[in-house]
Amino acid sequence: RTSDYHFLDIGCGKGISTLYVKENYHFRSVTGFDFVPDLIEAAERNLKASTVKGPIDFFIGDAGDWLLDDRRWFLFLYNPFSDHVLEQFLRNNIDVLRQTQSVMAYANAQELDTVASFPHEMIYRLPQIRSAVILF
């Protein structure tokens, strides 16, 4: 059930996918962050202009430095950054992800080998759309 998870859109850009998730699914919370301040400003404008109800938090942040708190996460990535940044994000957060049995949905998964090199329970690969779902 999505209501058991906190949704985090990593590299959310203008927030389009974040808004879609908030409107169509029921997560405990919905958050997006991106490294580029102009994109977060655009995401906040898109939220204000939308009909989406309920809170969405947008933040400026660097995935390589981001530390997840102890929650059950549903992470969404649309190939937002390099394998080096992804590796740093996972190194910083793998314990939380495993302890909370979190999930990662990775679209356009160009750096999937980086994810696969970290401890995980299962990877469901969708090669026809270059995506995967990773269970920690």
Side-chain angles (χ1 to χ4, degrees), residues 12-16 18-19 32-34 36-50 56-59:
C12 68
K14 296 178 183 178
I16 303 303
T18 320
L19 293 169
F33 77 90
D34 202 288
V36 180
D38 289 346
L39 291 175
I40 293 300
E41 289 174 14
E44 291 172 345
R45 283 193 306 273
N46 286 336
L47 174 58
K48 288 179 185 172
S50 77
I56 297 177
D57 294 315
F58 288 111
F59 296 97

Side-chain angles (χ1 to χ4, degrees), residues 2 5 11 18 27 45 91 110 119 126 135:
T2 58
Y5 294 86
T18 320
F27 286 94
R45 283 193 306 273
R91 187 178 302 119
Q110 295 179 21
L126 307 163
L135 307 178

